[in-house]
Amino acid sequence: MPEYEVTLEKATCDGIFACLTRDPRFVEDDDGLATIDPDADPVYDATGEETVTVEDDRIVATFDDDRLEDTKQAAEACPVNAIEVREVGE
């Protein structure tokens, strides 16, 4: 399975939440904008291999699972292009 990195620019996000319907790891944060929580999906268990870091207004999460397409769909659904997904390894 490919390892992939998801970057969410909080400053760009405007809380439309189209991403939440494509990938349940995107959730609403206390500030009314999207964030990433690997444990938020009740169907899939997080493996513990995920990393999520927050730097200023940027959230970067790394995953190694079979859900890359879900995450790409979430990024494509974002009308303000606040989400970037890129494969970083195999």
Side-chain angles (χ1 to χ4, degrees), residues 45-66:
D45 288 329
T47 63
E49 300 296 319
E50 305 85 4
T51 61
V52 179
T53 58
V54 180
E55 303 168 1
D56 299 320
D57 282 340
R58 175 180 285 177
I59 298 170
V60 179
T62 304
F63 297 101
D64 184 7
D65 58 31
D66 62 354

Side-chain angles (χ1 to χ4, degrees), residues 4 6 8 19-28 34-42 44-46 50 52 61-72 74:
Y4 57 99
V6 183
L8 170 61
C19 56
L20 277 65
T21 63
R22 278 39 174 222
D23 185 338
R25 295 174 293 185
F26 289 94
V27 295
E28 183 176 355
T35 191
I36 302 170
D37 181 357
D39 296 314
D41 187 345
Y44 293 93
D45 288 329
E50 305 85 4
V52 179
T62 304
F63 297 101
D64 184 7
D65 58 31
D66 62 354
R67 302 182 61 200
L68 175 60
E69 287 307 312
D70 292 343
T71 308
K72 285 182 177 179

